[in-house]
Amino acid sequence: MKRIANLSLLILGATFLSGQSKEDSLQFNRISTEILNYGKGYNDLRELTKNIGHRLSGSEAYERSVKWAEQKLRDAGADKVWLQEVMIPVWVRGKESLHIKTSNGGWKSLKMLSLGNSEGTGGKDVSGEIIMVKSIEEYDKLSPEQVKDKIVFFNYPFNQGHVQTFISYRESGPYRRTAAALTAGKGGKFAIIRSLSSAFDDVPHTGNMRYEENTVKIPAVTIGNTTADELEALLKNQKVTAKLNSNCGMKGEKLSHSVIGEITGKKDQSVIVVGGHLDSWDVGEGAHDDGAGIVQSIEVLRTFKKLGLQNNHTIRAVCFANEENGTKGGKQYGKTVKEKNEKHLFAIESDAGGFSPRGISLEMEDSKRKQIQSWGKLFLPYGVYNFEGKYSGSDIAPLHDMGVPTAELVPEPQRYFDIHHTAEDTFEKVNRRELLLGATVMTQLIYMIDKNW
């Protein structure tokens, strides 16, 4: 125990020697000690995931989560809590099934999920021969005659070679978003994609897709990696027919809400935002995506209040609506900021899972970026070393477009895309200390921003 304590002192001592102020190091330690010992985020996440569960925009569960978040922000000590009206799309999955039949046998059921915002088959069976492509470039070489009345299987594998898994996700993303539109453009009946998954399992991953104007809205479904490999092997040797029956589809729009709480600034009313998205997909429990970001953001307010940190500027936690299949919450927040002419100094989002924090991605002008990077040795004892990213979350993109410096928490990425947008995204996959370390780092950063900007 003595050796561990001495190591901690050496780490803190290195921070002091770096030229960073002793006061900041001590405040970082106070924040960490409070959150790791007394943080509410893990228990809050248990409540959100186990009592409410998945929270698709437009669902009754999402509306329950709005009330839950409103109360949690009050419990955290927010000076003001309110609901921001948002018109959101309503998409319903309904009953669905996918079967295949080879030339040698009968129908076999496959594990699958419709992609979010996909139209279904109206409860009718739609079938046809499967053709497989490995890339969009390969698909582009097919003629309309080759695609007409076929089912196109986009079998693009998640690139396991990238250490940063979000690079692989970005590379795979176009297949999920555009498979239906590409297939419809050449007369195909529906699209199947290999899931955007780093796991070697058979869990299908859902996620958002979109249609192009003036094209038929055909279905798009996803299958897990094991099923994709098996289907690929079959197609190399024989003709395979697929049959889809799906009742999913869009059901218009409805009025819903983002949930906002803040601690009023002691010096001025300029706003520092910390946030995540309250909605999730309709499978699993939405624990990492993005229950983690929600409870971490609430934890920031609670810690400022509990430690009596006198914030110069208003610190605002935003639980955004509808990130998964519309980003309407983030867009409405940005629109309201512009209409009210509210001055925003900074915004950070947590929407990459509740794993151990490893960095902070900075989407801002160089002078601000370099200032935050100069604080790097303060964060190093908490496992945060990477300040090289230049992106931030989709919900705060409208703020960035208005010139607000934005950032995103960067957790350890290796396991995130094993469970992202799946039934596997449950509370049990979240580690308490890792989750609370993320809240710690965001609170520390906001402390520094509030003090220095």
Side-chain angles (χ1 to χ4, degrees):
M1 291 295 292
K2 186 176 180 180
R3 291 179 64 189
I4 294 172
N6 288 340
L7 178 60
S8 298
L9 289 172
L10 285 171
I11 293 172
L12 287 174
T15 303
F16 298 157
L17 292 173
S18 71
Q20 300 289 357
S21 75
K22 183 175 181 179
E23 177 189 352
D24 291 337
S25 296
L26 291 174
Q27 288 286 23
F28 271 40
N29 183 257
R30 285 184 71 212
I31 290 167
S32 175
T33 299
E34 167 61 29
I35 293 177
L36 290 179
N37 280 299
Y38 308 110
K40 306 292 186 183
Y42 189 66
N43 288 334
D44 287 348
L45 184 62
R46 180 188 285 112
E47 287 183 19
L48 179 62
T49 55
K50 296 304 180 184
N51 295 347
I52 297 175
H54 53 70
R55 309 166 297 281
L56 183 64
S57 289
S59 66
E60 291 183 8
Y62 179 77
E63 299 307 319
R64 292 198 302 274
S65 75
V66 168
K67 295 179 181 178
W68 174 90
E70 183 181 13
Q71 185 59 52
K72 286 298 174 182
L73 285 164
R74 296 189 193 282
D75 293 345
D79 300 329
K80 181 182 178 184
V81 179
W82 71 99
L83 305 183
Q84 184 171 84
E85 292 187 348
V86 185
M87 290 300 297
I88 60 172
V90 179
W91 180 77
V92 177
R93 181 175 301 279
K95 187 177 179 180
E96 57 188 10
S97 64
L98 177 67
H99 292 80
I100 60 169
K101 183 171 68 172
T102 66
S103 54
N104 301 325
W107 290 105
K108 175 186 176 182
S109 177
L110 301 185
K111 291 180 67 174
M112 53 78 73
L113 287 172
S114 291
L115 293 177
N117 289 3
S118 173
E119 292 298 327
T121 66
K124 300 177 181 178
D125 289 343
V126 173
S127 61
E129 181 184 351
I130 301 175
I131 57 173
M132 180 182 72
V133 293
K134 288 285 216 174
S135 68
I136 290 175
E137 291 74 20
E138 184 179 338
Y139 178 79
D140 287 341
K141 295 176 182 178
L142 297 178
S143 68
E145 290 73 22
Q146 291 173 292
V147 177
K148 184 175 174 57
D149 293 330
K150 301 291 196 306
I151 286 81
V152 181
F153 171 35
F154 289 86
N155 189 26
Y156 182 85
F158 192 93
N159 188 336
Q160 300 288 346
H162 295 301
V163 174
Q164 296 300 323
T165 56
F166 279 84
I167 297 174
S168 304
Y169 181 67
R170 286 196 295 272
E171 290 177 352
S172 304
Y175 292 87
R176 191 185 70 202
R177 292 192 297 273
T178 67
L182 290 171
T183 301
K186 293 183 180 181
K189 289 185 174 181
F190 64 89
I192 302 171
I193 71 160
R194 175 189 282 262
S195 285
L196 279 57
S197 169
S198 55
F200 283 64
D201 60 22
D202 200 30
V203 178
H205 295 229
T206 190
N208 203 23
M209 53 80 68
R210 63 173 181 241
Y211 293 109
E212 299 295 334
E213 291 198 16
N214 303 318
T215 59
V216 180
K217 294 182 177 180
I218 64 170
V221 304
T222 178
I223 56 177
N225 280 330
T226 302
T227 292
D229 289 339
E230 292 172 353
L231 182 56
E232 177 180 359
L234 286 173
L235 288 166
K236 287 179 179 179
N237 299 307
Q238 58 190 297
K239 175 180 175 180
V240 181
T241 301
K243 177 175 66 176
L244 176 67
N245 191 304
S246 168
N247 289 276
C248 66
M250 298 298 297
K251 307 297 181 183
E253 292 185 322
K254 69 176 288 187
L255 180 66
S256 191
H257 300 87
S258 296
V259 188
I260 305 172
E262 68 182 26
I263 304 172
T264 306
K266 308 302 185 289
K267 176 183 174 182
D268 60 42
Q269 302 302 302
S270 300
V271 178
I272 297 171
V273 165
V274 57
H277 64 85
L278 188 55
D279 64 310
S280 75
W281 283 110
D282 60 326
V283 292
E285 296 171 349
H288 278 288
D289 187 19
D290 185 28
I294 291 296
V295 300
Q296 288 170 334
S297 299
I298 295 171
E299 190 70 28
V300 172
L301 296 194
R302 189 199 69 80
T303 304
F304 264 79
K305 278 290 189 177
K306 181 66 181 297
L307 294 180
L309 298 174
Q310 299 297 302
N311 49 299
N312 294 317
H313 314 292
T314 292
I315 299 174
R316 181 179 292 173
V318 184
C319 305
F320 292 100
N322 185 235
E323 188 271 349
E324 293 292 7
N325 68 326
T327 62
K328 294 297 182 69
K331 291 172 183 174
Q332 182 60 49
Y333 184 83
K335 180 174 181 286
T336 302
V337 167
K338 185 176 288 188
E339 290 172 349
K340 292 186 174 182
N341 197 29
E342 286 187 330
K343 183 178 179 181
H344 277 55
L345 295 178
F346 176 76
I348 183 169
E349 185 170 351
S350 172
D351 185 20
F355 299 105
S356 292
R358 292 289 178 255
I360 301 166
S361 178
L362 307 170
E363 192 171 14
M364 57 191 66
E365 62 183 43
D366 282 346
S367 62
K368 297 290 188 185
R369 166 188 292 274
K370 289 176 180 177
Q371 183 181 19
I372 294 175
Q373 289 174 336
S374 75
W375 305 332
K377 288 187 178 180
L378 279 169
F379 289 98
L380 196 55
Y382 304 93
V384 172
Y385 58 87
N386 180 6
F387 295 86
E388 300 306 312
K390 295 184 179 180
Y391 57 88
S392 54
S394 57
D395 280 319
I396 56 177
L399 292 177
H400 176 76
D401 292 343
M402 288 186 275
V404 178
T406 54
E408 184 165 37
L409 185 70
V410 181
E412 165 59 49
Q414 302 310 321
R415 292 169 286 165
Y416 186 57
F417 292 107
D418 286 6
I419 62 176
H420 181 247
H421 294 175
T422 74
E424 300 294 309
D425 184 7
T426 61
F427 175 76
E428 289 76 13
K429 301 296 193 304
V430 180
N431 176 272
R432 179 186 181 277
R433 288 185 61 83
E434 292 184 0
L435 176 74
L436 294 181
L437 275 170
T440 296
V441 169
M442 289 204 296
T443 306
Q444 291 166 336
L445 177 63
I446 289 172
Y447 160 79
M448 293 296 289
I449 297 288
D450 180 68
K451 177 181 174 181
N452 293 284
W453 287 17

